Amino acid sequence: MALDKKERELIEGSLYDAHFAASKFIESGKDIHKKLLEISVKEAVENLEILKEKIKKDDMVGNYKIHLLVPLQLLELINIRGGNESEENSQ
C-alpha cells in the first residue's frame, strides 16, 4: 500500500523544510541555520524511517530520495569539516 494523502504531505513537508534549511545555511553560514538544518534533516529521516514500508511501494520513492540528498549531504559535509577542524586545532 502506498502513502495516503496525509502521509504524503508529512513526508513532502519535512523534505521541503530540509531543503529550505539547507538553502538558508548556504546563504548565511550562520549557526542558527546550521542547527535548523540538523533538526530538519533528522526529522525528515525519522519520517522516512517511520513510513519506509509504505514508501517502498509509493510511486514517488525516487523523488523522496533525491530531495533529501542535498540537505543530507550538506549536513554530512559540515560534520566532516567540523571534525577536521577540531583535529587541526588539537595538534
Side-chain angles (χ1 to χ4, degrees):
M1 171 166 193
L3 298 171
D4 63 28
K5 183 178 180 179
K6 186 176 182 179
E7 293 166 335
R8 187 178 306 282
E9 288 173 356
L10 175 70
I11 294 293
E12 290 175 357
S14 62
L15 292 173
Y16 174 80
D17 291 345
H19 261 277
F20 179 77
S23 175
K24 292 304 281 184
F25 179 75
I26 290 169
E27 290 174 8
S28 72
K30 293 182 179 179
D31 285 340
I32 188 73
H33 293 135
K34 177 183 170 189
K35 188 65 177 172
L36 181 63
L37 177 64
E38 292 170 351
I39 292 168
S40 62
V41 167
K42 181 180 179 204
E43 179 183 308
V45 169
E46 287 173 355
N47 288 336
L48 290 171
E49 185 68 29
I50 291 168
L51 297 168
K52 70 182 173 184
E53 291 305 316
K54 288 186 174 184
I55 290 172
K56 287 178 186 177
K57 300 169 187 162
D58 195 87
D59 294 339
M60 302 291 285
V61 66
N63 288 346
Y64 299 144
K65 290 177 183 178
I66 290 170
H67 286 293
L68 187 56
L69 181 65
V70 170
L72 186 60
Q73 291 298 314
L74 177 59
L75 185 58
E76 287 298 314
L77 180 62
I78 292 167
N79 291 335
I80 290 168
R81 186 176 287 173
N84 290 342
E85 288 175 2
S86 63
E87 287 177 14
E88 290 173 7
N89 290 339
S90 66
Q91 293 178 354

